[in-house]
Amino acid sequence: AILAPDIEDLREVLVHNKTAYLVQPDDRSAAEQGLKELLENEELREKLGKEAKLEMRSLTWENRATRVIEFIKERLKIFDKNI
């Protein structure tokens, strides 16, 4: 399971209680609580680990490029309709 600070850059790939346990940055007690919860809650730990692994498999350069191409194609369709 992933324990990470809840910052914008990480939120692009991590979702609290889905793929990671996110805590407020610079909040030591929140990090300690998150670590304690993950250590004590095997079911949550396994769920987060499984979901994170699935999500990370989709984050290949090829998949990112495909998403960018699809985004551009959709924007071009909108642009063509507005001409």
Side-chain angles (χ1 to χ4, degrees):
I2 299 170
L3 175 66
D6 186 8
I7 58 175
E8 187 175 344
D9 290 344
L10 291 179
R11 274 186 256 123
E12 288 183 23
V13 293
L14 300 175
V15 177
H16 181 64
N17 279 335
K18 181 178 182 208
T19 57
Y21 192 103
L22 301 179
V23 297
Q24 289 301 310
D26 301 320
D27 186 341
R28 182 179 177 153
S29 66
E32 289 171 353
Q33 178 61 38
L35 183 58
K36 182 180 179 193
E37 177 144 7
L38 289 173
L39 288 171
E40 293 176 353
N41 189 335
E42 182 179 357
E43 185 177 330
L44 176 62
R45 203 171 53 241
E46 288 180 4
K47 175 190 147 216
L48 294 178
K50 183 186 288 187
E51 290 293 328
K53 187 182 281 188
L54 290 171
E55 181 65 26
M56 295 308 129
R57 285 184 181 149
S58 72
L59 297 177
T60 64
W61 282 110
E62 185 176 337
N63 286 343
R64 298 284 283 179
T66 299
R67 288 184 199 162
V68 169
I69 291 167
E70 290 304 316
F71 176 81
I72 292 169
K73 284 180 180 178
E74 287 300 315
R75 294 299 175 253
L76 290 174
K77 286 179 189 175
I78 292 169
F79 180 73
D80 286 341
K81 289 179 183 178
N82 290 328
I83 292 180

